Amino acid sequence: MFNIKKFTTSNIKNFKLLLTIILIGSFILMSLGIENGADPRWYPDELSERAIDMLKKRTMQPPFFEIPSLHFYILMFANVPYLLFLYFKYNSTHFFKLEPNFLAMTAIISRLVSVIMGVLTVYFVYFISKKSHNEKAGIIAAALLSVTMGFIFHAHLSTNDVPVTFFITLSLLFCIQFVHSNNYRFFFLATLISGLSTSTKYTAAIIIFPIILSYFINKRLSSITISIIFDKRILIGVIIFLFGFILGTPYALLKISDFKIDVTKVFLSRDTYKGFVDEGYSWKNNVANLNISLGLPLFTLRLLGLLYSLYKPT
């Protein structure tokens, strides 16, 4: 009889095989049916049409600042090979009018970006869990994420939800590497990636706090002094974080007045429609509803995992 326990603990090759199966399965689940409703007008939160419009206008300036710019640029870059193909096919820069499936194809390409980032995020979760606990934990964590319904759903769309998860997870990966190696290169990489996370979705800025916490954990909490709190490396990390944000959203500086107006609107205003209060941009609302978005079983499992990780000595 097949013994799964013996299989998963026998040797490293079996773990690699399991991980490969999980990643391939994750790609299939995330990409299956991404052509459905490919016209972005079916789902207005998708960013592909606006990114293509920026390409048409030959501008790097985003249409607005309610959403930061980095994912617009990523989608523009991802669609360049297809646009070059159409340019040589029609020998015209007006190929977007000549190609009947133009919008649908650019939407599918943009959705594939989310799929690739989603699969990489599954791998990052595996690596973080393996580094923090062991290989088994990595396989289980990756497997759970690969079949999480909300994650799979958003990977089917060219929104910024899966990309921001990708950057946040990568930033946490560097945090773990820093804590285990005491190599400050990983600390600075974590702050840079967290800046890119914020340049994908503003609410990701909160990731800077666990990154700084990783610095203090690395210094041993019991030996923290005033000089450590004001260590220049923390200041450098914050500067790198801001650099990462500006790198992904340069017009936050170039059009600073428009940026301030839009960002203020995102965090302070509430739109109402037929009595419904839309708090979609509110991170507080998202945190308060984690039990609904994850479902009670996964939410309970997450809380238990958090408590166990805090209790278990490293």
Side-chain angles (χ1 to χ4, degrees):
M1 182 181 289
F2 179 73
N3 189 327
I4 185 66
K5 184 176 181 180
K6 183 179 179 181
F7 176 77
T8 56
T9 56
S10 58
N11 55 58
I12 196 67
K13 290 183 179 179
N14 291 335
F15 283 120
K16 287 183 177 179
L17 176 60
L18 283 173
L19 179 62
T20 302
I21 292 171
I22 289 168
L23 294 177
I24 293 173
S26 179
F27 179 83
I28 292 171
L29 288 174
M30 292 181 192
S31 59
L32 198 64
I34 61 169
E35 74 281 1
N36 296 331
D39 189 327
R41 287 168 292 190
W42 282 101
Y43 195 86
D45 284 351
E46 292 200 79
L47 306 182
S48 58
E49 188 174 14
R50 298 183 183 97
I52 297 303
D53 192 53
M54 290 168 65
L55 276 173
K56 290 179 187 176
K57 295 176 180 177
R58 299 180 184 181
T59 180
M60 296 292 286
Q61 182 174 343
F64 46 72
F65 291 106
E66 283 94 340
I67 298 172
S69 309
L70 179 58
H71 200 52
F72 287 122
Y73 299 147
I74 291 173
L75 296 184
M76 289 169 69
F77 178 78
N79 278 279
V80 164
Y82 175 61
L83 301 188
L84 288 174
F85 167 76
L86 292 181
Y87 172 76
F88 289 112
K89 177 181 177 180
Y90 292 107
N91 196 27
S92 169
T93 56
H94 298 287
F95 45 75
F96 54 88
K97 295 180 180 178
L98 302 171
E99 180 64 31
N101 297 318
F102 178 76
L103 276 181
M105 280 302 300
T106 53
I108 291 171
I109 292 169
S110 300
R111 290 176 177 182
L112 276 172
V113 172
S114 293
V115 170
I116 293 168
M117 286 183 153
V119 173
L120 287 173
T121 302
V122 171
Y123 176 76
F124 295 158
V125 166
Y126 157 79
F127 186 88
I128 290 170
S129 301
K130 173 189 171 184
K131 197 76 175 176
S132 302
H133 298 283
N134 53 48
E135 195 95 35
K136 276 188 185 179
I139 291 294
I140 293 170
L144 285 173
L145 180 60
S146 70
V147 294
T148 300
M149 183 188 68
F151 190 65
I152 294 170
F153 167 75
H154 285 289
H156 278 72
L157 304 170
S158 62
T159 59
N160 58 358
D161 298 293
V162 168
V164 75
T165 306
F166 165 87
F167 284 117
I168 288 173
T169 311
L170 180 58
S171 182
L172 291 175
L173 185 152
F174 285 131
C175 275
I176 295 294
Q177 290 285 74
F178 168 60
V179 169
H180 283 272
S181 68
N182 197 29
N183 187 332
Y184 282 90
R185 178 184 61 178
F186 292 119
F187 176 73
F188 295 133
L189 281 171
T191 58
L192 175 64
I193 300 300
S194 66
L196 296 177
S197 304
T198 309
S199 203
T200 306
K201 202 166 188 175
Y202 294 123
T203 48
I206 199 170
I207 193 64
I208 193 65
F209 295 108
I211 293 172
I212 293 175
L213 178 62
S214 73
Y215 174 85
F216 291 125
I217 290 173
N218 205 46
K219 288 291 183 181
R220 301 290 184 268
L221 292 174
S222 59
S223 62
I224 290 177
T225 62
I226 294 296
S227 61
I228 292 176
I229 292 174
F230 292 98
D231 193 314
K232 65 180 181 180
R233 281 174 289 201
I234 294 180
L235 177 61
I236 293 171
V238 172
I239 292 172
I240 292 173
F241 164 78
L242 294 173
F243 171 76
F245 174 74
I246 295 300
L247 186 66
T249 308
Y251 281 86
L253 283 181
L254 299 175
K255 295 286 183 180
I256 192 166
S257 58
D258 294 338
F259 172 75
K260 287 193 293 185
I261 291 170
D262 284 355
V263 170
T264 302
K265 182 169 65 175
V266 164
F267 284 97
L268 299 182
S269 68
R270 293 182 178 182
D271 297 323
T272 58
Y273 176 71
K274 294 183 180 179
F276 174 74
V277 179
D278 180 10
E279 296 183 87
Y281 283 112
S282 170
W283 66 269
K284 291 182 294 184
N285 184 64
N286 294 333
V287 170
N289 287 284
L290 274 176
N291 61 321
I292 299 172
S293 59
L294 287 174
L296 187 58
L298 276 179
F299 180 69
T300 304
L301 188 63
R302 171 177 284 191
L303 283 181
L304 291 173
L306 175 63
L307 292 173
Y308 177 72
S309 65
L310 292 174
Y311 166 77
K312 184 178 183 293
T314 55

